[in-house]
Amino acid sequence: MNPAKQSPRMESDGTLRWYAGDTFSLTFNFTLKDGSGNPISINPGDKINIKFFDFNNELVHEFESTGTASPTIVITDEISAKFKEGIYRILVKFNATNVTTLLKNNKVVVE
């Protein structure tokens, strides 16, 4: 028997993976820089939106975090039930003075 891999985990190809039915907290650490490479300060009202879509491009679940570049998503039993085994994609946007896309159509696999 092979042991299960860590869940959730980020694979070397950039795919986020977890097992169907799992519950967990996952913190993203985004390093935000302007066009000149200077760090962008996060203000208390700045938001990061994290959206998961299914293969039909329908929204499965959305998280919003305010005032941090390290948002944490919490996958509860209720949220986990929305993610059946399959392939999803994630979209992450930073909403401040300007809107900046941080991740677009990155693959998510629920095993």
Side-chain angles (χ1 to χ4, degrees):
M1 296 180 81
N2 292 329
K5 292 183 178 181
Q6 179 180 342
S7 178
R9 67 186 180 281
M10 187 67 75
E11 293 286 350
S12 59
D13 66 356
T15 302
L16 174 60
R17 291 179 177 260
W18 71 80
Y19 294 108
D22 283 3
T23 59
F24 55 89
S25 295
L26 179 65
T27 301
F28 294 87
N29 292 305
F30 295 107
T31 302
L32 305 173
K33 296 182 180 182
D34 65 17
S36 300
N38 300 313
I40 294 175
S41 297
I42 305 297
N43 295 313
D46 293 347
K47 298 179 186 215
I48 291 182
N49 296 92
I50 301 170
K51 297 180 180 183
F52 290 90
F53 296 90
D54 66 14
F55 63 91
N56 289 321
N57 202 34
E58 292 187 24
L59 182 66
V60 177
H61 198 80
E62 177 177 6
F63 298 90
E64 182 175 87
S65 180
T66 304
T68 181
S70 299
T72 297
I73 63 171
V74 179
I75 304 292
T76 62
D77 284 328
E78 180 182 307
I79 295 169
S80 184
K82 297 178 182 182
F83 290 91
K84 307 298 180 204
E85 286 187 16
I87 299 173
Y88 299 85
R89 64 183 182 84
I90 186 172
L91 173 68
V92 179
K93 292 195 176 206
F94 174 60
N95 298 288
T97 303
N98 296 307
V99 176
T100 304
T101 300
L102 303 176
L103 296 176
K104 183 174 175 167
N105 296 327
N106 291 57
K107 189 175 177 182
V108 176
V109 176
V110 177
E111 304 173 298

